[in-house]
Amino acid sequence: MFCFQCEQTAAGKGCAGKAGVCGKKDDTALLQDQLTGALIILAKVASRKGKTKNTDRIIVEGLFTTMTNVDFDNAAIAKKIEIARAERAAIFAEAAQCEDFDMEKIWQAHEDIRSLKSLLLFGVRGIAAYAYHGMVLGYTDQTVTDFFYTALNALSEEQYGMDELLPLVMETGKINLKCMEILDKANTESYGHPAPAKVSLTVEKGPFIVISGHDLRDLKLLLDQTRDKGINIYTHGEMLPAHAYPALRAYPQLKGNFGTAWQNQQQEFDGLPGPILFTTNCLMPVKDSYSDRVFTTGEVAYPGMVYIGEPKDFSAVINKALELGGYKEDHPMTGINGGKEVTTGFARNTVLAAAETVVNAVKAGAIKHFFLVGGCDGAKTGRNYYTDFVKQSPKDSIILTLACGKYRFNDLDIGEIGGLPRIMDMGQCNDAYSAIQVAIALADAFKCGVNDLPLTMVLSWYEQKAVSILLTLLYLGIQNIYLGPSLPAFVSPTVLNFLVEKFAITPISTPEADLAKILAK
């Protein structure tokens, strides 16, 4: 196998041999490459001979499947390969004889071409995840859908050089912004605009279900099916921001949040007296101590685990919750820093409603800097940087955060400014859209550009959605981004130099040194 699409890749270069650091085995990695190759040929055939909504769905689901920590099930991946091949044969009978694109042509290409094609591929994988979540709610956008075909076609073009690929990489950021906008619309029109909510970290006694991932539709269906059954629901990981949506928190059985970030699941789920439903990434290899209570749905699959497809009947999960019975007494848990509750729901509507307060606080000197500290969490050492950065941030600064990187510090109490909490959780990773809208609004209020604001982005990355968001920020021309805990292995020195020179991307160093550098400007 060869895989270097996530941040924790072996030795910072790439996973090879029998298994990846994420637990993905070599045969699974090869099947995911084969699926990508099948999608590339499907996109090529469909672009020339005509595509359908079914083709669009197959490509979105297939790209999502190949993201990190989504699908570990060889049979499930093999089935998607056959579906892609059958679709291209249905579009054009002669395509049945086509070979899948050989991904080795990308992995063995010149390092700069490999780097740019990797940015393009990993970026569209991240976009596909967001497109999928919008699609299941009935929201799509033709511009976004068409770009999947454009990007996949470009991956097969061996004559493409940097002049052709760089613009496509920047276009990926533009398309991701549009996709996040569509998903924001899908979520807010379906469940209302998020509003601040305090979320308990205590699991109450009695039967319960933990739901992990990002898919709000799955949570809504689970809440409908557990109504009046005496079963409580607890979010996990990136599902935490669901508590901020009015239509979801109206359910009395949506009680709180279980545990911390995704990389701690093997310890936190150990012997758990309740089932876990995974709706999206990030699933880790399942331990025997809780393997009988893991259920997957959507694009998530793991060998030996119960998979729940459409129509989403969660009876098996519900019955397992009743069978296990939950804790006999209330089970208090804490965040990484010992906090007993966390707050979420500071999406764009909430923050912009307080814009006058924020602007006045800046003009009065009460707020001197904004930091967006967020992104993916992960198991690799060095991520305590983000906790220490927030702890050491000046008391006259505001911390905006999103995605699961917030679990490093979201249970801290670092005070308020003018009635506003200094830590504002804006939501899931796709809610980078909210953060961008807030930044643009602040720039408008101060009649300056976003790069002229007292705003610094300090980002952590792990998987491919973080890649697509980074490309969106670069597309918008945002500079001086601090990125860590390490730089992507798939970015070649030449491409890195381009990004540093054009956008002033800076690898993180220490909280003390980085804060001193930022605040000295």
Side-chain angles (χ1 to χ4, degrees):
M1 69 175 290
F2 174 75
C3 183
F4 61 174
Q5 70 175 356
C6 81
E7 188 271 337
Q8 68 180 16
T9 193
K13 295 181 179 179
C15 293
K18 294 296 184 182
V21 175
C22 70
K24 178 173 62 180
K25 295 182 179 178
D26 58 345
D27 54 352
T28 306
L30 290 171
L31 279 169
Q32 290 187 347
D33 269 3
Q34 196 171 352
L35 173 56
T36 304
L39 295 174
I40 287 172
I41 299 302
L42 173 58
K44 187 179 288 290
V45 171
S47 297
R48 296 174 181 174
K49 299 295 181 178
K51 55 184 181 286
T52 67
K53 293 293 183 185
N54 189 52
T55 320
D56 297 346
R57 180 185 56 78
I58 290 169
I59 285 178
V60 168
E61 291 178 351
L63 286 170
F64 190 7
T65 293
T66 58
M67 273 185 52
T68 302
N69 291 39
V70 173
D71 196 334
F72 294 80
D73 190 329
N74 289 357
I77 300 169
K79 184 177 179 180
K80 281 187 166 60
I81 294 170
E82 292 307 314
I83 289 172
R85 290 172 176 169
E87 180 70 5
R88 74 189 185 214
I91 293 170
F92 183 52
E94 293 178 21
Q97 307 304 317
C98 293
E99 295 288 332
D100 297 329
F101 178 77
D102 183 2
M103 294 299 291
E104 286 298 307
K105 292 181 179 179
I106 295 177
W107 308 142
Q108 299 300 327
H110 182 277
E111 64 174 358
D112 294 335
I113 302 304
R114 182 179 73 170
S115 180
L116 291 170
K117 286 191 174 183
S118 296
L119 275 167
L120 182 59
L121 173 60
F122 303 157
V124 295
R125 283 177 176 173
I127 298 172
Y130 297 144
Y132 175 89
H133 295 313
M135 183 176 68
V136 297
L137 290 173
Y139 290 75
T140 59
D141 181 85
Q142 199 59 48
T143 303
V144 174
T145 303
D146 288 345
F147 187 73
F148 292 127
Y149 294 88
T150 300
L152 290 170
N153 272 284
L155 293 173
S156 69
E157 296 294 342
E158 295 183 55
Q159 75 276 19
Y160 275 15
M162 294 188 69
D163 289 344
E164 292 82 13
L165 292 170
L166 264 174
L168 282 171
V169 168
M170 292 297 104
E171 183 78 3
T172 305
K174 177 181 178 181
I175 296 299
N176 185 59
L177 179 62
K178 181 65 176 177
C179 192
M180 290 193 298
E181 179 187 4
I182 297 301
L183 180 54
D184 178 89
K185 182 179 180 181
N187 287 337
T188 55
E189 290 188 355
S190 298
Y191 310 116
H193 281 278
K198 290 186 176 181
V199 183
S200 172
L201 301 181
T202 293
V203 180
E204 297 180 10
K205 66 180 181 180
F208 67 92
I209 296 168
V210 174
I211 182 167
S212 188
H214 305 71
D215 202 290
L216 300 182
R217 173 178 176 261
D218 287 332
L219 173 58
K220 175 68 163 57
L221 293 172
L222 181 64
L223 290 169
D224 286 335
Q225 293 176 40
T226 54
R227 194 191 303 267
D228 301 324
K229 291 188 181 292
I231 298 173
N232 290 330
I233 308 299
Y234 293 86
T235 55
H236 173 261
E238 280 270 64
M239 198 65 85
L240 166 63
H243 292 272
Y245 288 89
L248 298 176
R249 69 179 177 195
Y251 289 82
Q253 74 268 36
L254 182 60
K255 291 290 186 176
N257 190 69
F258 179 91
T260 52
W262 68 273
Q263 76 275 4
N264 301 319
Q265 65 189 257
Q266 290 178 324
Q267 292 76 43
E268 294 176 343
F269 292 161
D270 192 19
L272 189 71
I276 310 107
L277 175 63
F278 280 92
T279 66
T280 66
N281 60 312
C282 297
L283 171 67
M284 294 179 71
V286 180
K287 293 176 65 175
D288 290 342
S289 65
Y290 59 90
S291 63
D292 66 328
R293 57 208 67 181
V294 170
F295 298 81
T296 68
T297 191
E299 300 311 302
V300 190
Y302 194 88
M305 304 298 107
V306 176
Y307 176 80
I308 299 170
E310 296 285 354
K312 300 286 182 89
D313 180 354
F314 294 125
S315 297
V317 189
I318 292 168
N319 292 337
K320 178 61 73 170
L322 294 171
E323 172 194 330
L324 293 170
Y327 293 108
K328 296 189 182 302
E329 301 294 337
D330 288 355
H331 183 74
M333 300 181 72
T334 65
I336 288 175
N337 303 288
K340 296 181 180 179
E341 66 177 17
V342 292
T343 304
T344 189
F346 288 90
R348 72 180 193 284
N349 267 30
T350 295
V351 178
L352 294 180
E356 185 177 354
T357 301
V358 172
V359 170
N360 289 338
V362 173
K363 289 179 177 178
I367 298 176
K368 292 186 177 176
H369 209 92
F370 296 88
F371 295 99
L372 175 59
V373 185
C376 307
D377 206 353
K380 199 172 180 179
T381 56
R383 289 180 181 266
N384 58 307
Y385 166 96
Y386 298 94
T387 310
D388 295 339
F389 188 98
V390 170
K391 286 181 176 179
Q392 295 176 33
S393 63
K395 296 186 184 299
D396 54 8
S397 64
I398 292 287
I399 308 294
L400 304 174
T401 188
L402 47 79
C404 63
K406 62 176 167 269
Y407 280 102
R408 292 280 167 173
F409 52 81
N410 67 339
D411 64 321
L412 289 171
D413 182 0
I414 60 171
E416 298 182 346
I417 299 177
L420 298 172
R422 283 194 55 220
I423 296 178
M424 298 185 186
D425 175 13
M426 306 191 82
Q428 296 181 341
C429 53
N430 50 281
D431 290 311
Y433 177 75
S434 267
I436 290 167
Q437 298 309 307
V438 168
I440 291 172
L442 287 173
D444 288 344
F446 288 105
K447 295 181 172 53
C448 66
V450 170
N451 289 320
D452 300 317
L453 288 170
L455 167 67
T456 305
M457 297 190 179
V458 184
L459 306 180
S460 55
W461 81 282
Y462 175 75
E463 40 88 318
Q464 295 76 65
K465 285 180 285 186
V467 174
S468 63
I469 291 171
L470 176 62
L471 293 177
T472 292
L473 297 176
L474 300 184
Y475 158 72
L476 291 170
I478 294 175
Q479 298 186 346
N480 298 306
I481 297 170
Y482 285 72
L483 183 65
S486 61
L487 295 177
F490 53 82
V491 174
S492 69
T494 300
V495 174
L496 178 60
N497 287 339
F498 168 79
L499 297 177
V500 170
E501 290 176 9
K502 186 172 179 62
F503 300 103
I505 289 180
T506 303
I508 61 170
S509 57
T510 66
E512 296 83 359
D514 290 345
L515 277 165
K517 182 179 178 181
I518 292 166
L519 297 173
K521 293 181 179 179

